[in-house]
Amino acid sequence: QVQLKESGPGLVQPSQTLSLTCTVSGFSLTSYSVHWVRQHSGKSLEWMGRMWSDGDTSYNSAFTSRLSISRDTSKSQVFLKMNSLQTEDTGTYYCARTTEGIVWVMDAWGQGASVTVSS
Amino acid sequence: DIQMTQTPSSMPASLGERVTISCRASQGISNYLNWYQQKPDGTIKPLIYYTSNLQSGVPSRFSGSGSGTDYSLTISSLEPEDFAMYYCQQYDSSPPTFGAGTKLELK
């Protein structure tokens, strides 16, 4: 059974760094990509970045150099780190899986991790 | 970035009704268009991939169509569990982008 689960602090202070973990089961990180997608409260979805099966990464330029995605394949975990957090970064953060063909869809999602940026 | 304009933003509808949600891309996206459903508890699942392909396990009352810049999701006969948010997503070019969503509400 394919599962993804996000974890991390629910509250982060402004200017600090957000660290989230996506723990997966039922598939291998060396065979699938894992994406991070953000949703502001009541708003649409925003693609943040991707960890490819070969360990390469792709990022949304909207996050410039604030965002870093890494992984530990031995623990089946993908990590998101984003620094210089502002209140606008408040939202729910999802990780999702895709294949790596030309045609792909996010076919499994985590339940989301709610993050509030506030002092 | 490619902008995805999704209409309507909300849609009151009745059980058994046929509904269509539209999505227009700011440029051609060569059918690289997916549809997702989000329930009030935040759960997200895929419905349609590559414009018209039904994701495994999704009921056949869901269908997708389109080409170029214009795409649509149709639900042929609404069931109670279909009242949710729906999002389109393009992946023709990076970054992948989503529509603003359509809230399907019980009339």
Side-chain angles (χ1 to χ4, degrees):
Chain A
Q1 181 184 2
V2 174
Q3 289 189 318
L4 301 93
K5 186 172 183 178
E6 306 88 349
S7 58
L11 180 65
V12 180
Q13 299 216 342
S15 80
Q16 297 302 301
T17 297
L18 172 66
S19 294
L20 294 174
T21 299
C22 175
T23 302
V24 311
S25 59
F27 69 98
S28 172
L29 293 178
T30 59
S31 298
Y32 290 84
S33 282
V34 171
H35 302 244
W36 286 97
V37 177
R38 178 172 78 177
Q39 184 172 40
H40 294 114
S41 179
K43 303 290 187 181
S44 186
L45 300 158
E46 181 178 29
W47 182 81
M48 301 181 71
R50 177 178 189 169
M51 170 60 73
W52 294 79
S53 63
D54 65 358
D56 198 4
T57 52
S58 300
Y59 297 107
N60 188 333
S61 61
F63 296 95
T64 59
S65 57
R66 293 202 296 149
L67 180 63
S68 174
I69 297 174
S70 60
R71 71 179 184 179
D72 183 337
T73 56
S74 68
K75 295 183 178 179
S76 295
Q77 293 179 325
V78 179
F79 309 105
L80 176 149
K81 285 192 188 323
M82 187 162 68
N83 58 32
S84 304
L85 249 60
Q86 301 302 318
T87 55
E88 308 87 79
D89 295 310
T90 293
T92 300
Y93 289 71
Y94 293 91
C95 56
R97 178 187 87 156
T98 68
T99 57
E100 296 182 350
I102 294 173
V103 172
W104 56 262
V105 66
M106 295 179 189
D107 68 349
W109 293 68
Q111 85 280 7
S114 179
V115 174
T116 300
V117 182
S118 175
S119 55
Chain B
D1 298 0
I2 295 177
Q3 305 303 313
M4 304 300 292
T5 302
Q6 194 173 331
T7 55
S9 57
S10 67
M11 177 185 287
S14 303
L15 289 171
E17 188 173 339
R18 177 185 179 93
V19 298
T20 296
I21 298 168
S22 298
C23 203
R24 173 167 288 177
S26 57
Q27 64 190 66
I29 55 172
S30 302
N31 293 106
Y32 293 111
L33 190 284
N34 299 327
W35 290 95
Y36 300 90
Q37 178 193 66
Q38 184 175 33
K39 291 295 184 72
D41 67 356
T43 303
I44 301 173
K45 76 169 192 177
L47 299 172
I48 301 287
Y49 68 95
Y50 196 51
T51 296
S52 59
N53 295 274
L54 199 65
Q55 182 69 14
S56 176
V58 174
S60 59
R61 63 181 180 273
F62 290 91
S63 63
S65 64
S67 64
T69 60
D70 295 322
Y71 299 83
S72 62
L73 171 72
T74 297
I75 310 173
S76 60
S77 179
L78 283 171
E79 298 284 337
E81 61 268 28
D82 299 337
F83 293 94
M85 285 290 294
Y86 292 86
Y87 295 94
C88 60
Q89 175 237 323
Q90 70 79 25
Y91 59 104
D92 180 61
S93 68
S94 190
T97 48
F98 293 83
T102 295
K103 186 173 184 179
L104 195 50
E105 302 172 297
L106 186 59
K107 188 184 291 184

